[in-house]
Amino acid sequence: MEPGLEELMPRLLPVDDCDLAEDFDPTVPPRTPQEYLRRVQIEAARCPDVVVAQIDPRKLKKKPTVNISISGCQPAPEGYSPTLKWQQQQVANFSAVRQSLNKHRNHWRSQHLDSNVTMPKSEDEEGWKKFCLGERVYSEMDALSDNEDFGIDYLKVGFPPLLSIVSRMNQGRWLYALLACLEKPLLPEAHSLIRQLARRCSEVRALEENKNEEQISALNLIICLVSRYFDQRDLADEPS
């Protein structure tokens, strides 16, 4: 190593000259601390200044897959962008719902669920689809028979987002209810998921061919709450 570089990169093992046995052999295991350090210095001096990695060119032929997510949401269809006043009102209403929910959360969390309510495991995606939508909607089954007189069969029509259910979860109607239960500050996973949710809502909104005002309004609401209540302002709709 050049003297100038050694001043910038001092040795990690500054060993003063020491008396070594005349028969010192760096190829055999060291017998004393001095011999060990001296052997390390010799091996370091033999290392090349530049090391070139051996790369298999065949591995470079495959194009890597890179997942890139857009930073913002797609704009609303022309004429359907929500006003700033509307967005502010939705945030105020949502804040009031959350305050009310927090007052009753512990009560409903402690209540026993009906015997017909079996919540799926968190990783059971198919189970949650059937739980929220019902087997009838999810599987496009025939309408319930008129002969059934046992009350509402939630296993077929889906469970509503009851507070007794959503309050038990760690973090459409279901989305609004779950956002109302989402605690701040957001965990990193929740932060990522609600941003994905807002982007997905904007994609569905942009593809809305029939311009169903009720559906677009619902999508606007989710985007509004994610961006303005949960402080993801880069996803917010520009006021019309």
Side-chain angles (χ1 to χ4, degrees), residues 1 33 63 66 86 103 114 117 133 144 147 160 172 179 184 193 203 209 214 225 228 234 240:
M1 183 180 293
K63 295 182 179 180
V66 180
W86 183 89
K103 292 180 181 179
D114 293 341
V117 181
L133 302 176
L144 293 174
N147 296 327
L179 287 175
K184 297 175 71 174
L193 288 174
E203 293 170 2
E209 295 181 355
E214 182 178 353
L225 297 180
R228 297 193 179 274
D234 61 305
S240 59

Side-chain angles (χ1 to χ4, degrees), residues 98-135:
R98 284 174 60 91
Q99 291 178 16
S100 176
L101 184 150
N102 287 332
K103 292 180 181 179
H104 306 289
R105 183 194 299 267
N106 292 335
H107 168 75
W108 285 107
R109 183 181 291 170
S110 63
Q111 300 301 304
H112 293 290
L113 294 174
D114 293 341
S115 59
N116 68 331
V117 181
T118 302
M119 297 176 63
K121 295 182 180 180
S122 59
E123 67 276 8
D124 184 5
E125 181 176 345
E126 297 299 313
W128 279 110
K129 290 178 181 178
K130 294 179 180 179
F131 186 86
C132 297
L133 302 176
E135 292 183 358

Side-chain angles (χ1 to χ4, degrees), residues 163-194:
L163 184 55
S164 58
I165 295 177
V166 295
S167 62
R168 281 174 160 78
M169 298 180 179
N170 292 336
Q171 302 290 313
R173 292 187 301 163
W174 272 99
L175 292 176
Y176 188 94
L178 292 173
L179 287 175
C181 292
L182 190 61
E183 298 180 357
K184 297 175 71 174
L186 298 177
L187 297 175
E189 182 180 9
H191 178 274
S192 174
L193 288 174
I194 67 170

Side-chain angles (χ1 to χ4, degrees), residues 27 80-81 105 147 162 173:
T27 63
Y80 289 89
S81 181
R105 183 194 299 267
N147 296 327
L162 302 174
R173 292 187 301 163

Side-chain angles (χ1 to χ4, degrees), residues 218-236:
L219 295 170
N220 286 347
L221 176 59
I222 298 300
I223 296 171
C224 169
L225 297 180
V226 170
S227 61
R228 297 193 179 274
Y229 185 87
F230 290 101
D231 303 318
Q232 308 301 309
R233 297 304 176 93
D234 61 305
L235 302 179

